[in-house]
Amino acid sequence: METMSAETSDWLKSSDSKDYFELLKFPTVGAQKENLRDCVQCATWLKKWLKSIGAEAELIVPSQGTGIRDQGLGDGGFALSVPVVYGEIEGQEGATTVLLYGHYDVQPADPLEEWKTPPFEPTLKDDGRVYCRGAQDDKGQFFAFLCGLRELLNTKTQRHRDKNINLKILLDSQEESGSVGLFKLLEDREFRKRLSADVMLVCDTSAAADLRPAIVAGLRGVNHFTVTLTAANRDLHSGEYGGIAPNAAQGMAELMASLHNPDGSIAVSGFRDGIEPPSHEELEAAEAGFATEEMYAKDIGTEPCGGQRGKTIVQRNCFEPTIEVNGIHSGYGGPGSKTVIPCQAIAKLSTRLVPGQSPSRTFDAIKRHLKDHCPRGMSVELSELTGDAAGFRLPLGSPLFRLAEDVLKELDPRGAVFQWDGASIPVVSALREASGAAPLLVGWGQPQDCIHSPNESYSIRQFQTAKEWAKKILSAL
């Protein structure tokens, strides 16, 4: 760095930055077998760190199983070998119990050639941002919160008063690939009892523009799965068989296009059944805290025209379901040409679901639609279903929201806005049910963090804000 502010210089000398950089170096891609050892090493490091601040901590490896969630990685045995980190700091009897949820796994770094710095070597640049895979999602978010907890525990006033809060810390190992192991653990009655809490804090969401605090009052649910379309028994010469053999690549394009009507609305019969529309108050609050179409256009480099025409950007992102094609693969894609008629095509699909929709019923509706619209001479199969999580919305009048608003007003004079996040954290709904806790989702992400993309980053300002939030909300609780 050519120039460095005093604040940045002080942060670099702190144990926070040293530990944060060490945590980021673990390539914890929880969806890949080759990173299993890295995940175990990172989990062990986190266990040791939690013990250093006074927590009882352990690694929990789920038992083997063959449930639907064990299929997400194509290898249930591997999926259930990645350990979840669990810790507790016990307070006095009758004290408020808080469950903190985060995840230490990260997305794959691909495409590697687009990274400007090595993806698992944290680099602080002169823009005040740390670049690394996981810098924000979710290592930066949950670890900044834990650093705030450490500072709170180390203050003189905290050491000399009764502990009036119980803390339970749960760090997921595969949130990015469906939380396979954690969902398996939640099938165990004893483990569910251990998670019993009054409040669940999640720091894995975004703030509003310019880091204005945002309380997430709802999340969309999610399903993701693979569609395989098969035609001939092998790739065929496009001259000898052109005009005779069905083309799987062309068939997949037609099949994917059939999912939507020309106006962008979803064409799958039964998919929208049961949708619970937002209230006028929710729509009004969402509009107040949402980015404009101009801001989105600047962010993504094109017009934000996805979804159904005639609906506002807030409706499309917060309160409407989606079916998105995440990728299509077929035939030859290398340099030059290879004149074949592909015999098979694969598509990756994800759906985002709103309250009232059933993940299983929406999946069945898509399955029926794809079977009914399968091109002649081809067969279609669906596999690798993961997610299976419903959407939820929380009441705006919640006492916990009122408390959070007061705390966030202390942190930022602008006060908080409410958001209904178009993204999903599939396991949050299940944890809410298992723990009985009221969820409070406040995070500090920003569009420039580029999560799930090359050159992911998290600013020192965001890290410090998340740390201060931890101290204030835990003190208030």
Side-chain angles (χ1 to χ4, degrees):
M1 292 177 64
E2 296 177 3
T3 60
M4 184 185 299
S5 68
E7 181 183 6
T8 299
S9 180
D10 290 343
W11 185 77
L12 278 175
K13 296 173 186 175
S14 70
S15 56
D16 290 353
S17 66
K18 175 182 175 294
D19 293 345
Y20 175 45
F21 277 43
E22 195 170 338
L23 174 63
L24 290 177
K25 290 179 181 178
F26 292 103
T28 50
V29 184
Q32 295 180 351
K33 279 186 179 181
E34 57 266 34
N35 292 110
L36 175 58
R37 176 176 291 184
D38 302 305
C39 291
V40 173
Q41 289 176 338
C42 182
T44 303
W45 185 93
L46 285 164
K47 173 185 171 182
K48 183 179 178 181
W49 192 94
L50 288 173
K51 285 189 170 184
S52 75
I53 67 169
E56 293 292 326
E58 60 183 302
L59 306 187
I60 306 177
V61 179
S63 60
Q64 299 297 310
T66 56
I68 192 168
R69 297 182 187 281
D70 306 336
Q71 301 170 17
L73 303 177
D75 187 329
F78 157 66
L80 299 178
S81 298
V82 190
V84 169
V85 183
Y86 180 74
E88 289 189 8
I89 299 177
E90 190 175 348
Q92 64 190 18
E93 188 176 350
T96 300
T97 299
V98 174
L99 172 65
L100 169 65
Y101 170 81
H103 65 91
Y104 71 86
D105 67 307
V106 299
Q107 284 279 324
D110 310 67
L112 294 175
E113 66 275 9
E114 293 188 20
W115 282 82
K116 296 177 182 177
T117 59
F120 290 104
E121 292 181 19
T123 305
L124 177 61
K125 294 189 177 182
D126 55 11
D127 58 1
R129 304 183 70 86
V130 175
Y131 288 79
C132 191
R133 172 59 86 224
Q136 192 258 65
D137 184 21
D138 180 45
K139 289 179 178 177
Q141 297 242 51
F142 86 73
F143 192 69
F145 195 99
L146 289 179
C147 288
L149 168 62
R150 171 169 62 181
E151 193 165 300
L152 188 65
L153 293 171
N154 286 339
T155 59
K156 183 175 180 181
T157 53
Q158 180 72 13
R159 285 201 308 266
H160 289 81
R161 72 181 186 187
D162 292 334
K163 294 182 179 178
N164 59 359
I165 193 169
N166 296 297
L167 289 173
K168 299 179 179 181
I169 300 159
L170 183 63
L171 302 178
D172 197 349
S173 56
Q174 292 176 319
E175 189 276 340
E176 299 290 7
S177 51
S179 298
V180 178
L182 183 50
F183 271 113
K184 189 66 182 173
L185 285 173
L186 290 174
E187 296 175 8
D188 183 88
R189 185 176 298 176
E190 291 305 312
F191 182 73
R192 290 168 69 93
K193 282 183 181 178
R194 295 180 71 181
L195 298 181
S196 177
D198 301 302
V199 175
M200 177 170 60
L201 298 178
V202 180
C203 197
D204 189 19
T205 55
S206 293
D210 192 30
L211 218 56
R212 182 176 178 180
I215 300 170
V216 174
L219 288 174
R220 289 196 289 192
V222 67
N223 267 336
H224 23 85
F225 49 91
T226 299
V227 179
T228 303
L229 187 65
T230 304
N233 58 9
R234 66 190 187 280
D235 286 354
L236 301 169
H237 190 288
S238 66
E240 293 181 2
Y241 291 92
I244 299 174
N247 186 312
Q250 181 178 331
M252 183 62 85
E254 295 170 359
L255 194 57
M256 293 298 99
S258 76
L259 294 169
H260 296 86
N261 296 309
D263 67 351
S265 62
I266 292 171
V268 178
S269 177
F271 181 83
R272 295 180 56 88
D273 289 356
I275 288 178
E276 299 170 5
S279 67
H280 175 74
E281 182 187 17
E282 288 172 326
L283 270 173
E284 198 172 62
E287 293 280 359
F290 208 78
T292 64
E293 293 207 14
E294 291 74 19
M295 292 167 69
Y296 265 103
K298 183 178 180 181
D299 176 30
I300 66 176
T302 189
E303 183 184 356
C305 55
Q308 184 175 350
R309 288 193 287 276
K311 292 187 180 290
T312 68
I313 192 169
V314 168
Q315 289 174 313
R316 298 188 330 253
N317 188 252
C318 301
F319 302 114
E320 285 289 314
T322 66
I323 302 175
E324 297 287 358
V325 181
N326 307 133
I328 298 181
H329 311 271
S330 184
Y332 180 69
S337 64
K338 182 182 181 184
T339 53
V340 295
I341 299 173
C343 67
Q344 192 173 76
I346 294 173
K348 298 286 186 177
L349 267 67
S350 64
T351 63
R352 300 290 174 169
L353 310 175
V354 297
Q357 286 183 293
S358 160
S360 60
R361 287 200 299 269
T362 55
F363 176 75
D364 288 343
I366 293 175
K367 189 173 183 178
R368 284 194 304 271
H369 177 95
L370 294 177
K371 295 277 188 183
D372 291 345
H373 289 77
C374 182
R376 186 180 173 188
M378 305 185 205
S379 62
V380 64
E381 296 296 331
L382 277 66
S383 62
E384 296 185 308
L385 171 64
T386 55
D388 195 33
F392 67 88
R393 290 202 294 270
L394 304 169
L396 290 179
S398 156
L400 182 58
F401 282 179
R402 301 284 81 81
L403 174 67
E405 281 187 291
D406 291 343
V407 170
L408 291 168
K409 185 74 172 178
E410 291 178 24
L411 194 64
D412 188 321
R414 294 174 296 179
V417 296
F418 284 96
Q419 290 183 343
W420 286 261
D421 203 319
S424 311
I425 310 175
V427 81
V428 166
S429 292
L431 287 173
R432 178 189 179 196
E433 180 186 351
S435 67
L440 180 57
L441 291 80
V442 175
W444 305 99
Q446 294 283 270
Q448 58 266 41
D449 300 342
C450 295
I451 62 171
H452 292 210
S453 301
N455 307 303
E456 179 180 350
S457 67
Y458 199 48
S459 70
I460 296 173
R461 180 189 174 199
Q462 288 166 281
F463 190 100
Q464 295 289 60
T465 304
K467 181 179 170 181
E468 287 302 309
W469 158 245
K471 292 191 292 184
K472 288 184 178 294
I473 189 60
L474 291 173
S475 295
L477 288 168

